[in-house]
Amino acid sequence: MASHASPPQQQPAPSATPRPAATAPPPPQKPRRRLIVGLGALLGFVVVYLLSLFGFHLLASSGKPLKPPDLNATGDTVVLVRLEKLDTIANRLAVKVLVIPEDSMFDKRLDVLKTDTAVRMDPPNDLGDLQYPAGKSPAQVATTIEAHGDPNNWPFDSYRTDTLSADVLVGQGDARQYIPARVEVAGALDGWDVSVQRVGEASQDSDRPDNVVITLHRAKGPLIFDLGICLVLFALPALAFAVAIQIALGRRKFVPPFVTWFAAMLFAVIPIRNFLPGSPPPGAWIDQALVIWVLLALVGAMGLYMLTWYRQSD
């Protein structure tokens, strides 16, 4: 029986030189980039915030306070006008008036007036003669005087009184007589820079002129707040149109509940406008130049959004 030789075994082919393993790609840099952008935005916000605080402090301290009044009444009669409130719409300046009589008219032992006294101001105040009866200590009398200005120029409006003078009527009946008095101004108004100009002649022992003119300008500090409110009003229609245009072009999905967001912005305009310091009167230039256009733009953005809804509902 013939034996079959086994076929020669095939030698394994030499293995090729192993290739080096491919290096892994570097991790994406997006998280680090986002972190840098976020930190940069935060730093920018902090810088702007600190600059706004510094600017507000700088502007708030720019108004000079009134000089202390000269109340030396040894031989003078002084009428002290203390500022209380300014009604810009009615052009009325609320004040409190106090008479500080000369020594001969005042009982220092009892701290009371020796005779009936009245203060007559020119131009007249809304109460007429201000009465200070004998036997009582003089008390402040609240009244109002006219201050000329145009509130529609908010926030650049200013107000000015006429030349303010005062005489004191002393005595009763036909025996009453005029005594010249020197007007002094004191107090402060929140949100206003007040300046006093002394005019006329000095009829008293003091060399200070008797009469005054009071001028009031809006303080510069609140202007930063006014600017911030105006920027908020500008931002509302800008955001509304940014959303409405993206949806109208089909780049973003239409979301029906978004219409409530448009309505909320529309009804938020008037409360934001009324939050402006000083409450400008309705119809002021700020309404004509900004508020009405913000309302129209919001209505236009809402109309564009509703038009997109109408097209997609077919």
Side-chain angles (χ1 to χ4, degrees):
M1 184 172 181
S3 61
H4 296 282
S6 60
Q9 294 185 357
Q10 194 173 7
Q11 296 293 330
S15 59
T17 306
R19 296 180 181 178
T23 57
Q29 300 293 325
K30 288 185 178 180
R32 181 179 298 177
R33 185 179 301 175
R34 290 176 181 175
L35 178 60
I36 294 175
V37 172
L39 291 177
L42 179 61
L43 179 61
F45 173 78
V46 172
V47 171
V48 173
Y49 176 72
L50 294 178
L51 288 178
S52 66
L53 290 181
F54 175 74
F56 178 82
H57 176 74
L58 186 64
L59 292 175
S61 60
S62 61
K64 297 180 179 179
L66 290 177
K67 296 181 179 179
D70 181 8
L71 302 181
N72 179 19
T74 302
D76 300 344
T77 298
V78 177
V79 173
L80 178 63
V81 177
R82 184 172 298 277
L83 307 178
E84 292 291 323
K85 184 180 179 181
L86 176 63
D87 186 348
T88 59
I89 306 299
N91 288 136
R92 284 292 183 272
L93 177 61
V95 297
K96 288 185 177 180
V97 181
L98 174 66
V99 63
I100 304 176
E102 61 183 59
D103 287 351
S104 61
M105 300 165 53
F106 196 69
D107 186 345
K108 291 186 176 182
R109 185 178 66 88
L110 300 177
D111 287 336
V112 297
L113 292 169
K114 294 180 178 179
T115 182
D116 290 336
T117 304
V119 172
R120 179 172 296 176
M121 303 180 68
D122 184 33
N125 66 87
D126 291 347
L127 291 183
D129 291 348
L130 306 179
Q131 304 294 331
Y132 302 89
K136 293 185 178 181
S137 180
Q140 297 184 103
V141 179
T143 185
T144 55
I145 57 179
E146 187 173 10
H148 305 284
D150 187 2
N152 289 320
N153 291 334
W154 177 97
F156 308 109
D157 50 338
S158 61
Y159 300 86
R160 181 184 178 93
T161 66
D162 295 324
T163 301
L164 194 62
S165 62
D167 291 312
V168 175
L169 282 74
V170 180
Q172 296 178 348
D174 295 337
R176 291 200 303 174
Q177 58 180 350
Y178 280 106
I179 295 179
R182 184 178 74 251
V183 178
E184 295 287 345
V185 181
L189 296 179
D190 186 29
W192 294 92
D193 291 334
V194 184
S195 60
V196 176
Q197 178 185 3
R198 306 205 66 87
V199 296
E201 299 179 354
S203 62
Q204 310 286 308
D205 293 341
S206 173
D207 57 356
R208 294 163 66 89
D210 287 349
N211 308 331
V212 297
V213 176
I214 305 173
T215 304
L216 303 102
H217 297 272
R218 290 196 182 272
K220 297 178 181 179
L223 291 179
I224 296 180
F225 187 77
D226 297 336
L227 178 61
I229 296 295
C230 292
L231 291 177
V232 170
L233 290 175
F234 272 118
L236 292 180
L239 293 174
F241 266 114
V243 172
I245 291 175
Q246 291 290 321
I247 294 177
L249 295 177
R251 297 177 181 176
R252 292 292 184 272
K253 183 180 178 181
F254 180 82
V255 182
F258 246 103
V259 71
T260 59
W261 178 66
F262 285 94
M265 287 198 299
L266 183 63
F267 286 103
V269 172
I270 299 303
I272 293 175
R273 183 261 183 213
N274 291 336
F275 195 62
L276 290 168
S279 298
W285 73 270
I286 191 68
D287 293 333
Q288 303 174 26
L290 177 60
V291 176
I292 187 63
W293 293 103
V294 169
L295 292 173
L296 292 175
L298 287 174
V299 171
M302 182 182 294
L304 180 61
Y305 193 82
M306 297 304 295
L307 179 61
T308 305
W309 166 80
Y310 178 77
R311 288 178 177 177
Q312 293 190 7
S313 62
D314 291 342

